[in-house]
Structures are given as structure tokens and as C-alpha cells.
Amino acid sequence: MMEIAYVCDHMIHIIDTDHPWDVYSINSGHTEVISCLEWDQSGSRLLSADGEGQIKCWGMTEHLVNSWECTQSSSVDGDPIIALSWLHNGVKLALHVEKSGSTNFGEKFSWVKFSPSLTLFGGKPMEGWLAVTVSGLVSLCRLRGRVALADIAFTSGGNIVVAATDGRSSSPVQFYKVCVSVVNEKCRIDTELLPSLFMGCTTDPGRRDKYPAVTHLKFLTRKNSEQVLLCASSQMGSIVECWSLRKEGLPVNNIFQHRSPVVAEKQPMILKWRILSVACGYVILSPTSRNIALRCLWLMIILLFSGLALAFHDGSIQILHRLSLHTMGVFYGSSGSSQRVGEEPAVKRQRAGGPTLHFRALQFSWTSLALVGVDNHGKNTHLRHLLFLLEYCMVTGYDWWDVLLHAQPSMVHNLLEKLHEEYMRQNQVLSTRIVAVKASLCKLSSATAARACDFHAKLLLIAISSTLKSLLRPHVLNTPDKSPGDRVSEICAKNTDTDIDKVMINLKTEEFVLDGPPLQSLQQLIQWVGDFVLYLLANLPNQGSIVRPGFGFLQDGASLGMLREMLVMIRIWGLLKPGCLPIYTATSDNQDSMFLLFCLLTKLWLCSGDESHPQDPDETLIDECCLLPSQLLVPSKDWLPINDGVITKIQSKHQLRLQFGKPYTLPGVNPNAQVEVFRSPASRRMDHLRCLHLGISPTEDSKACTRCGCVTMLRSPNKTSAMRQWEQRWIMNCLCGGCVHRNRCEIRG
């Protein structure tokens, strides 16, 4: 999940990118102005620091994005914090753009050897944070001096690099290597001075006094300590310089070369900062002041979009290449217009009268396909290789919300096909995550909304299947290599009999023996499986078009086989505890509903046995399914949760101007029109994770996923271990997948 935090009057405000109008405010308790905010890698914790030297760590309460509490704090009384960072956990994934056409994920993405900043016993990374104060309290050098700007980066060897300056362009920018260790349960910090640099503008006699103040100091990324960006400003303009740390040979005098053959053969190497590029002329677009008005926030891993964003006091944003600093595009916030290289120069554009809105903070998304800005009035404001980026999000676990912003409805079908083809060539360890990606893609187009229903149902089906199989226990300790759940799958796959009782004979019923309470508590999940099978079979004759939900299961042999396995397990458990069986409303008292459904389901499963050449259901099966509504009452299905986020409104490519506290609705457009046909006619609320009906006006507090809209009760009504196990799966994440270590829920009481 992508979250944004900003500060106003000692209050910390947190928003989710898909619902930017919903603001969650925290009374920080800071007595001075908050100077630093820093998210951790998971997005579930936030650091805040102020001008009094106080640092607070905020964490989610019960994994809810709108409920936060201060979990830890530290302070350096009277010493303002100017830089703050979490310690690195040693995880780094390299993305090889040049191999984007490869069919193997292992060639596109690879894990890079990167040591944690601080390790525990056995090399486990230790959590913590590092702060730099105005007085350089990290003991950056023996002679401590005033530090006005600082930034922190990490090296692959586990060291920390700190860049610091006193704010004057005539002073050197100092770099320090910081090594953190734990000795006798106490933290030890060792520092070493690295090569420093002077800004290029100060060495030029013509510009020596033109830019007196250094206003911004940033490493290109936190994981790249060898490239840094500096910005110096004045009332007349600004200049940005990009520097790189390189190894260079040290010239040796001929006298030493003759006296020492070793020196002559191997030239000594030193580290030296070299300037790569400078950008300054573009800032003078109008007679007004053009000072850069924010910290330049960089992407952790710069992908295909190799740019950085600069915001100016006239309200414009310029996108520059990260190394050459060439202008790639300009956005004018006041008018909502944009300009690319080669278009009409911005100096010819008319400026609006009155106070100018300008951006105070910018942040790129993980894949750099979305740019979020907050201006001085508190308002919100924005290709290829989408497939490559979706694969990247699948492998890393990053949220793919910003990639969906660029997927137009006409592209959805092709993206789904290509994504499926690429995935089938892999080892298929991300089976659940790819289903979640497909479900979110299908919601972008009304033509594929039915497939979104299918993918959402498949996610729930996989989760229920794994939960039910996990309840099986071997009847002896000396078990074979296969678990009871694997044996159930193997026997059901080999036995093609349509009689459910004959399939049960081949199973060891001792492994299915469970106490009554666990089985009874899982009845709502078992009921969902039974209702889902009945719905699929009853609607088989109506599947003449791909528009209707359930079409994707007709030729999905794996999912149909999974349903067969669960029906067999439910049948056995029903012998032990009849109360756990699914309840059907039959027209005949002697109707064996499960026997009938298993028979028809097996026939449909046999038609889809060969996924490469699936067969259409024969006329006999279709006729039998046509009779189902006259034998059993077919339940209505609440297929798709409602999602009212930005992702459903931004597909028109029109600029959206959002305001905190006011949900945005497209004029004359029902944002949920494409899914209303797939919802039950009654306005009942569903607990989508517990498969319970909450009624028209539920009294229980609930939480809703900020991505897919799934609603579930905040407090558990169950006390059995089996249902608790099911609910534990959804404490930190939702059924829709996405970032597996992040919560996606907000309270909706």
C-alpha cells in the first residue's frame, strides 16, 4: 500500500494514495516544528523528528491505516534533527532493464548482496534508526561544527554514509562513513572521513557569489552512496549539480617509479568526486523568484523513468534526467497544463494574478509512474513496459497501484494475456499474487469486470482450500513425504468417478477426525464453497458470453479440481458433524444435494482436464444443469466489493483536483455502474472474509480494504482455534494481495 504523510501545525496527516481525500490525523505531541518524516520499508511505521531533538516512532494499531500510536521515542534535548533514516535491512533487488524481454524472472530480477547496517546473532538484521543533528552529534568528526543540511545513504558492505554541509556554498560538502555495532549490549558508532567536495559554482569566478546558499543535499538513492545532487539558490535563481564518486589513479613522480618497481606496475588508486552535469539556465522562466521550494525526493530504485522532480515557487514542476539533468517535461500546477521538450517555451505562457500555488513536497511511487504533490494550500495533484513493471511488483511485493494508473481499459485484455504467458514460463511460486494482479487489472474495464469477479472468487477459493487442508492431521507420527492434504489432491486427481462415496473409500478417514467445535465454526466457509459450486453449475447453460461471472471457472481444471477435493472433505466431515454441512433448499426431501453437485462438477472437471485443449460441456451435462434450479434454490452471489478509489476515476486521462475531506465523484458518472450487475439486489452488507451476511444496517464496527473494498468485522465473533487461524491470515493484509507486509484496511464504523 502506498501512503503519504505530511505535517501541519504539529499534526501528522496520513493518506492512502487511492483515497487521498480521507485524511488520518495524529496529534504528534512535538513541541517544536517537525523537521523530518521517514517511512520504514513496509509502510507500517513512521519516524518523526522535530527542532528540539525529539524523535518518535509511530506504528499502526491493530494494523489499521487510520489508527496510529507512538511505540518508541528518543531525544537529544536542544539539538534539532536535520536528517533521519531507518537502518538498512540488507534486502536489495536489482532490475535488469536490458533483459526486460527475457522469459525468465530470474534474469529480469536478481537479489544483490547487500549487508544490513546492524546485525544480531546469526546475521539477522537489527531494526533501528539513525539521526543527524545540527551539531553533528553522530560524532562525524573530532571538531564538531554546525550542520545545516545532511542526508544518509548505505553501502553494500553494511556501512552508512552521511553527507553534511553548513549551508554555505563556499564551504565544503563533507562525507563520512559511519559504522554501527553493538558491543556489550551498547551501541557503538565509529566514523571515518571520506573525500569531500566544493560545489562547482563556487570555483567559477563568474558565479562564485551568485548562489551563496546550499538549499538541498540529496543522495540519488538511499542505496547509492556514490552519486549526490546539490542545489544552491539565491533570489535570482537556482543551480543543480550532480556529482559522482569515482576511483582514479594517483599520479606518481618518476623518481618513485624508478625506485619502487611495485609502484610503477600498480598505480595507487584514490576516491575522488567528479561533477557529472549542471542545470541552471532553465530556472529563469519569468522575472519572479525561482527558488526550489522543496526537498527533492528520489525513488529507491530508479526504473525506466530515470528522472527526478523539482518544484518551483511559480507552481511548476520540472522533470529532469537523473544524471544529465536535461529537462524531460514541465507541469504547470496553476493551469493544470504540461509541456514536453520541444513544445512551446514556458516563458510565453500567461501567468495568473494573485498568490501563486507552489508545491511544498513531492514523492514518486515505487515504480516512478506516479508523482504525488502537496502544495502550500494543502491540495493534491501525475510508458510503456507496464508488463515489466507488473512483474517487478509481483517479485518485490510492492503495490502496483501506480502501474494501474497507466493501464487504459483498451490495454487490459492484452496485459492479462501477456502476464499469463510470462507467468506460465516461471516456477509459479507467486500463484496467489498474480491472481490478485489480474483481478485489479480487470476492474479497470467494464468489458473485463466479470473476470475480476472470477479472480476475486479464486483468491477466496485458494485461501479456503489451504485452510481446510491444514486441518488434516496424519493418524501416525511416522508420516510419508506427502501431507494429508497432498494425498487428498492426488487421490481426487486420479479418481474420476462421479460418485462421491466411491472417492471417499480411497481416503484414510482417520486423518479427517476433528473435534466438533472447529468444524462447526468453519460452516460459513463450507457454505460458501457449496453455494459457489451450485451457482457455477446452475449458470452453466447461460454462459454463452464472457461477460457473466463464473465463465473463467468453466475451463479452469485446477480450480474445478480444488472444488472437488473440498466437497470430498466436507462429505467426510459431515459424517462426523452433520451441522457443518452446507445447507441447501431442495424441492424434494430425499434429495442428496452434495451427491448431485459432485456428480455434475466431476463431469465438468473432466471436460477441462486438458487445459491446452479444453472441451465444451456436452449436451447431457448442460441439460442436467438446466434442471438444477428446479431441484435446488440457487443463492444470489455478492461477487465484487465496491471500490471508490482514485484508480476507478482517473482512467479518463483528465486531471483530477482533489481536496482533503471531500470524496471525488465524476460528474454524471456512477463509479460502481460496471459492478452493480454483479451484486445481489438487496442492499445487504457482507463480511467478505468471513463469508457472513451483516444485514442492511450492521451494528458491528467493520474495516474495509482501501484497494478492493472488501469489508470485514473489526472484532472477531469466533473463539475456536480453527476460525482464529482463518482470521489471522487477514490481520496484516487483505484478500486482494498487493504488498504482503502492509495493512490495507481502514475503519468504517
Side-chain angles (χ1 to χ4, degrees):
M1 180 177 57
M2 297 184 188
E3 299 161 323
I4 300 171
Y6 66 98
V7 178
C8 181
D9 297 332
H10 306 294
M11 296 289 291
I12 300 176
H13 307 284
I14 299 174
I15 63 174
D16 176 77
T17 51
D18 203 34
H19 296 76
W21 46 81
D22 291 333
V23 184
Y24 317 123
S25 302
I26 307 171
N27 188 352
S28 67
H30 286 286
T31 57
E32 294 293 331
V33 176
I34 297 177
S35 56
C36 299
L37 288 176
E38 189 73 23
W39 287 105
D40 73 341
Q41 183 74 9
S42 67
S44 60
R45 290 179 300 177
L46 178 68
L47 290 176
S48 62
D50 63 17
E52 189 63 27
Q54 188 176 28
I55 304 174
K56 293 187 177 184
C57 178
W58 304 89
M60 291 182 179
T61 306
E62 297 183 340
H63 309 285
L64 299 173
V65 77
N66 61 337
S67 181
W68 295 79
E69 62 179 356
C70 181
T71 58
Q72 290 177 309
S73 63
S74 62
S75 63
V76 186
D77 294 338
D79 208 351
I81 307 296
I82 59 171
L84 186 64
S85 174
W86 293 89
L87 297 180
H88 200 278
N89 59 6
V91 178
K92 182 178 180 180
L93 183 72
L95 185 148
H96 307 289
V97 179
E98 68 279 2
K99 297 182 179 179
S100 60
S102 174
T103 58
N104 188 352
F105 281 5
E107 297 180 358
K108 297 180 182 180
F109 319 104
S110 63
W111 296 104
V112 179
K113 186 177 180 180
F114 208 93
S115 300
S117 304
L118 187 61
T119 57
L120 298 171
F121 179 78
K124 181 181 179 181
M126 185 176 183
E127 295 183 336
W129 61 78
L130 177 74
V132 181
T133 67
V134 166
S135 64
L137 191 60
V138 179
S139 299
L140 296 177
C141 58
R142 293 183 179 180
L143 299 176
R144 285 167 54 187
R146 178 181 178 274
V147 179
L149 296 172
D151 196 25
I152 302 170
F154 304 94
T155 68
S156 59
N159 295 319
I160 304 168
V161 177
V162 177
T165 177
D166 62 4
R168 295 176 297 178
S169 60
S170 58
S171 300
V173 179
Q174 301 281 0
F175 294 85
Y176 308 90
K177 183 173 72 173
V178 180
C179 182
V180 184
S181 59
V182 177
V183 179
N184 297 327
E185 298 183 354
K186 293 184 178 180
C187 182
R188 175 179 175 179
I189 300 178
D190 298 313
T191 60
E192 177 184 338
L193 189 63
L194 296 177
S196 59
L197 64 87
F198 282 92
M199 289 195 65
C201 61
T202 62
T203 60
D204 184 356
R207 296 184 295 184
R208 181 174 300 171
D209 301 325
K210 188 175 182 180
Y211 307 106
V214 179
T215 55
H216 299 83
L217 166 63
K218 274 288 180 181
F219 286 104
L220 199 61
T221 69
R222 279 281 163 87
K223 298 180 183 179
N224 183 3
S225 61
E226 298 178 353
Q227 288 181 330
V228 67
L229 288 140
L230 298 165
C231 176
S233 302
S234 68
Q235 293 297 320
M236 299 303 296
S238 305
I239 184 171
V240 179
E241 297 179 356
C242 180
W243 290 76
S244 177
L245 185 64
R246 299 177 178 178
K247 284 186 177 181
E248 295 185 358
L250 181 65
V252 180
N253 193 282
N254 293 333
I255 298 176
F256 297 102
Q257 293 182 8
H258 293 304
R259 293 187 177 184
S260 177
V262 177
V263 174
E265 294 177 2
K266 187 177 181 180
Q267 187 179 21
M269 304 296 291
I270 61 170
L271 293 174
K272 194 171 184 179
W273 287 99
R274 290 292 185 185
I275 191 167
L276 294 180
S277 52
V278 179
C280 59
Y282 64 91
V283 299
I284 309 299
L285 297 182
S286 66
T288 60
S289 174
R290 296 284 296 175
N291 299 340
I292 295 181
L294 75 158
R295 298 172 310 196
C296 298
L297 301 177
W298 319 115
L299 190 62
M300 183 170 293
I301 300 177
I302 302 292
L303 298 178
L304 304 175
F305 195 103
S306 303
L308 55 96
L310 305 180
F312 298 91
H313 271 305
D314 67 351
S316 66
I317 299 175
Q318 293 205 13
I319 308 298
L320 309 181
H321 191 277
R322 63 168 181 165
L323 296 180
S324 66
L325 299 184
H326 291 161
T327 303
M328 302 170 65
V330 184
F331 173 80
Y332 296 90
S334 58
S335 62
S337 60
S338 61
Q339 172 197 340
R340 295 186 179 182
V341 177
E343 294 182 357
E344 177 190 0
V347 70
K348 297 181 181 180
R349 299 179 183 266
Q350 297 295 325
R351 296 177 52 83
T356 304
L357 296 178
H358 60 269
F359 292 90
R360 301 298 300 272
L362 295 177
Q363 178 64 62
F364 273 117
S365 62
W366 286 111
T367 56
S368 201
L369 291 181
L371 178 66
V372 178
V374 179
D375 62 26
N376 57 335
H377 284 191
K379 297 183 179 178
N380 258 0
T381 277
H382 155 126
L383 264 185
R384 39 188 299 208
H385 300 297
L386 293 181
L387 175 64
F388 189 37
L389 295 176
L390 286 174
E391 294 170 348
Y392 171 73
C393 292
M394 285 174 51
V395 174
T396 59
Y398 290 150
D399 196 347
W400 51 88
W401 174 86
D402 57 326
V403 183
L404 299 181
L405 294 177
H406 298 267
Q408 295 303 303
S410 59
M411 304 164 56
V412 171
H413 180 73
N414 291 334
L415 271 176
L416 287 173
E417 297 299 325
K418 293 292 185 182
L419 189 63
H420 181 74
E421 291 176 7
E422 291 293 325
Y423 174 73
M424 294 305 293
R425 298 188 180 105
Q426 316 306 319
N427 53 11
Q428 302 185 20
V429 296
L430 303 171
S431 57
T432 304
R433 196 171 295 167
I434 189 176
V435 176
V437 173
K438 290 180 179 179
S440 56
L441 272 173
C442 288
K443 290 183 180 181
L444 302 180
S445 172
S446 58
T448 55
R451 297 185 66 183
C453 298
D454 292 348
F455 289 129
H456 189 272
K458 189 172 182 177
L459 287 171
L460 186 56
L461 177 63
I462 294 173
I464 294 177
S465 175
S466 61
T467 299
L468 296 184
K469 287 182 179 179
S470 67
L471 299 176
L472 303 179
R473 295 292 183 269
H475 64 286
V476 292
L477 294 179
N478 296 327
T479 59
D481 296 335
K482 295 182 179 178
S483 65
D486 293 335
R487 287 200 296 274
V488 170
S489 302
E490 183 180 13
I491 292 173
C492 291
K494 292 180 179 179
N495 195 328
T496 60
D497 204 312
T498 59
D499 189 334
I500 189 173
D501 296 324
K502 292 182 179 179
V503 178
M504 288 169 46
I505 296 175
N506 299 316
L507 295 173
K508 297 178 181 180
T509 55
E510 298 89 347
E511 298 174 341
F512 293 81
V513 176
L514 298 175
D515 296 332
L519 287 177
Q520 190 63 44
S521 65
L522 295 173
Q523 201 278 332
Q524 64 262 31
L525 302 182
I526 295 174
Q527 184 69 48
W528 184 90
V529 174
D531 290 345
F532 187 69
V533 172
L534 176 57
Y535 178 89
L536 286 182
L537 295 173
N539 284 274
L540 178 61
N542 301 325
Q543 295 292 348
S545 170
I546 200 172
V547 173
R548 296 182 62 87
F551 181 88
F553 285 91
L554 298 184
Q555 296 179 347
D556 187 353
S559 298
L560 295 176
M562 199 181 303
L563 289 170
R564 284 185 79 241
E565 299 164 10
M566 285 191 285
L567 288 183
V568 172
M569 290 189 294
I570 294 170
R571 181 76 163 187
I572 297 176
W573 283 331
L575 300 176
L576 305 174
K577 183 70 175 179
C580 73
L581 290 173
I583 300 173
Y584 298 103
T585 303
T587 56
S588 175
D589 294 336
N590 57 358
Q591 175 71 58
D592 190 343
S593 303
M594 288 200 65
F595 183 91
L596 174 62
L597 293 178
F598 184 84
C599 178
L600 298 179
L601 181 63
T602 301
K603 293 179 180 179
L604 180 60
W605 170 66
L606 292 174
C607 295
S608 60
D610 187 1
E611 294 187 1
S612 58
H613 301 285
Q615 302 176 8
D616 292 331
D618 55 36
E619 294 295 332
T620 305
L621 176 58
I622 294 179
D623 292 340
E624 292 181 90
C625 291
C626 286
L627 297 176
L628 267 182
S630 62
Q631 298 171 309
L632 300 172
L633 179 63
V634 181
S636 60
K637 299 293 292 182
D638 194 353
W639 281 92
L640 204 60
I642 293 179
N643 179 22
D644 59 349
V646 168
I647 200 68
T648 62
K649 304 175 175 66
I650 206 168
Q651 298 300 321
S652 61
K653 285 291 184 182
H654 295 300
Q655 182 187 15
L656 302 183
R657 290 197 171 273
L658 309 174
Q659 186 173 351
F660 296 136
K662 293 184 179 180
Y664 184 87
T665 303
L666 291 174
V669 177
N670 180 7
N672 304 303
Q674 67 184 52
V675 302
E676 289 297 333
V677 69
F678 306 136
R679 301 183 58 80
S680 57
S683 57
R684 297 175 300 179
R685 294 283 296 275
M686 276 286 299
D687 187 323
H688 296 97
L689 299 182
R690 295 183 178 90
C691 301
L692 291 175
H693 291 282
L694 301 179
I696 297 178
S697 301
T699 57
E700 292 290 334
D701 290 335
S702 61
K703 55 183 180 180
C705 174
T706 59
R707 288 295 180 268
C708 69
C710 272
V711 176
T712 186
M713 286 183 287
L714 186 61
R715 307 299 175 193
S716 172
N718 304 285
K719 299 187 181 298
T720 61
S721 59
M723 199 59 195
R724 288 283 187 178
Q725 176 186 348
W726 169 260
E727 293 171 346
Q728 287 293 321
R729 299 171 64 102
W730 320 117
I731 286 185
M732 295 185 64
N733 65 289
C734 176
L735 183 68
C736 64
C739 211
V740 296
H741 295 300
R742 299 176 190 174
N743 176 66
R744 298 174 169 274
C745 296
E746 57 176 331
I747 295 178
R748 290 181 182 174

